[in-house]
Amino acid sequence: MITFASPGQWLGIAALAASLCMGNAASADSFTLRIASGHPKGPAPYVTAMSDYFVKEVERRVAAETGHEVKFIESYGGALAGVAETLELVQSGVIDVGGYCVCFEPAKLFLHNFPYYEPFGPASSADAIKAARMVYDEIPWLSEVMETDYKQKLLGLGAWDNYHLGTKAEWNTVKDLEGVKIGGAGPNLPWLEYAGAIPVQSTLPEGYMAMKIGVYDGWLMTPAGYNGFKFYEPSPYYTLIGFGAMPVVALTMNVDKLNSLPEDVRGIIVEVGRSWEDQNGAMMDQSQAKGLAALKENGAIIKELPAETRKAWAESLSAFPAKEAKEAEGRGMPGNAVMKAYIKAAETLGHTWPVQYQID
């Protein structure tokens, strides 16, 4: 005998079916995230790591481990966010994830530039990032201020590789650099004081043309960046000084956007951000070696600064870290603690500083 459901039972069955459909839809939500950087993919290896590792790994893991889907809209090379705009655009939610050098935020992220204030640090990007991570873990203020003041979570730290100096003209003594205009990213410009060079605030995307037309005659830059942006064409002389790798790249995400995602998706994004840190260090060290080799192949004239000149240069900057630490303290930031922690962290990883910086 066939039994038909009553109208009330049909309503119950319909409600159950609807709830099941809604449950399936909720477990299969698709999320679109906008990720951007002012630097281009390719010439800037940390951006390459953002695209080739962070984006792909988040998309892969979310699809494999959850019932959701994440898709990124990628925008690099300043198409959506300039190098000095990324922090603000993540803060406002115009972009969801951003990668940028904190060197372009000298006021808002003054103390986050601490590796620049202690030059001649670790030459390896991987070691520099590990040392910086030790500092961030020891002094949570560095991460917390990004959330409280700028509404973004620090997902991972990146770095530039070891800094050297490229110039239009050959130079053999530090005196030869007197009066020569040199471009840089801001926090590293004081390194030039010892040489008597004229520092010029600039950005990587504008460096090539600026040197071509004589706005300045050299650049403080890493092998990967110097080669990637073809600075060897207007300024072929590249002197290996070894100011150190600079772990001053931040990968961040808008806090509100992150918190709006399901818990399992949030967890994956945070985990991949931290593993991006390791990827970035390894990639930058490989990039440094490849960059030097490519510079030679592309006709750059490479030489190494004599050890005694390098030591004298470091000694001339011996008061620089304490000066910047004091400036940070005056701004209500834990300058002394951060600067001391980075010196100690680098030494823990086996680095020997050419000069003993004294922090009050």
Side-chain angles (χ1 to χ4, degrees):
M1 182 173 65
I2 300 175
T3 303
F4 294 96
S6 67
Q9 289 174 317
W10 277 119
L11 287 173
I13 293 169
L16 177 61
S19 68
L20 289 173
C21 288
M22 289 176 64
N24 288 336
S27 65
D29 281 341
S30 180
F31 303 97
T32 300
L33 302 176
R34 295 154 297 183
I35 186 169
S37 176
H39 288 121
K41 180 179 177 180
Y46 83 87
V47 181
T48 304
M50 285 171 62
S51 179
D52 291 351
Y53 179 75
F54 178 80
V55 166
K56 288 182 171 56
E57 187 67 359
V58 169
E59 290 181 344
R60 183 193 69 80
R61 284 192 55 186
V62 168
E65 300 173 25
T66 76
H68 307 296
E69 178 185 53
V70 166
K71 290 295 179 185
F72 284 91
I73 297 174
E74 301 179 70
S75 178
Y76 308 124
L80 181 58
V83 293
E85 302 168 338
T86 312
L87 177 141
E88 288 79 8
L89 292 178
V90 173
Q91 180 180 358
S92 65
V94 172
I95 58 177
D96 303 310
V97 182
Y100 53 92
C101 179
V102 299
C103 56
F104 296 112
E105 297 291 347
K108 293 181 177 179
L109 299 178
F110 177 82
L111 188 52
H112 294 75
N113 280 286
F114 63 86
Y116 279 120
Y117 307 146
E118 295 173 313
F120 300 99
S124 161
S125 297
D127 285 347
I129 290 173
K130 288 176 184 175
R133 172 49 62 189
M134 291 166 69
V135 177
Y136 275 74
D137 288 346
E138 181 180 339
I139 304 170
W141 178 90
L142 289 163
S143 298
E144 291 169 357
V145 75
M146 298 190 83
E147 295 190 34
T148 58
D149 290 5
Y150 306 114
K151 310 304 178 189
Q152 53 202 280
K153 181 175 180 61
L154 179 67
L155 298 177
L157 296 169
W160 298 109
D161 45 315
N162 199 3
Y163 272 75
H164 307 293
L165 178 61
T167 54
K168 276 188 177 182
E170 183 178 8
W171 60 280
N172 296 303
T173 68
V174 172
K175 190 172 178 59
D176 295 338
L177 293 173
E178 258 184 57
V180 177
K181 292 177 290 184
I182 306 293
N188 60 10
L189 292 177
W191 301 348
L192 299 168
E193 290 179 3
Y194 170 68
I198 300 172
V200 181
Q201 171 66 40
S202 189
T203 66
L204 279 171
E206 66 187 27
Y208 183 97
M209 186 55 64
M211 284 189 285
K212 196 81 172 174
I213 64 177
V215 175
Y216 39 78
D217 302 307
W219 243 96
L220 279 167
M221 185 37 53
T222 67
Y226 207 80
N227 181 71
F229 285 87
K230 299 185 178 181
F231 286 177
Y232 54 82
E233 291 182 354
S235 297
Y237 295 93
Y238 194 68
T239 303
L240 305 181
I241 296 176
F243 287 109
M246 294 291 136
V248 289
V249 171
L251 180 68
T252 67
M253 183 167 183
N254 179 273
V255 169
D256 290 338
K257 187 65 174 183
L258 181 63
N259 290 340
S260 74
L261 300 173
E263 184 178 357
D264 49 359
V265 176
R266 292 200 307 269
I268 288 171
I269 289 173
V270 170
E271 287 176 10
V272 176
R274 282 300 294 268
S275 60
W276 172 86
E277 214 168 85
D278 297 330
Q279 291 285 328
N280 191 261
M283 182 177 284
M284 289 307 302
D285 283 338
Q286 293 169 7
S287 181
Q288 179 173 188
K290 290 178 181 177
L292 279 172
L295 283 173
K296 291 178 183 177
E297 291 175 8
N298 290 325
I301 302 162
I302 300 174
K303 65 179 181 180
E304 191 162 354
L305 192 72
E308 62 273 16
T309 305
R310 182 177 186 269
K311 182 173 176 57
W313 201 321
E315 288 172 347
S316 78
L317 292 168
S318 60
F320 182 47
K323 175 177 174 290
E324 299 306 295
K326 184 178 180 180
E327 173 67 22
E329 292 286 337
R331 299 186 187 197
M333 304 172 177
N336 290 340
V338 167
M339 304 289 271
K340 288 179 181 178
Y342 189 59
I343 292 171
K344 181 180 178 181
E347 290 173 345
T348 299
L349 294 171
H351 179 65
T352 300
W353 298 88
V355 59
Q356 289 298 311
Y357 297 128
Q358 300 297 321
I359 312 295
D360 294 335

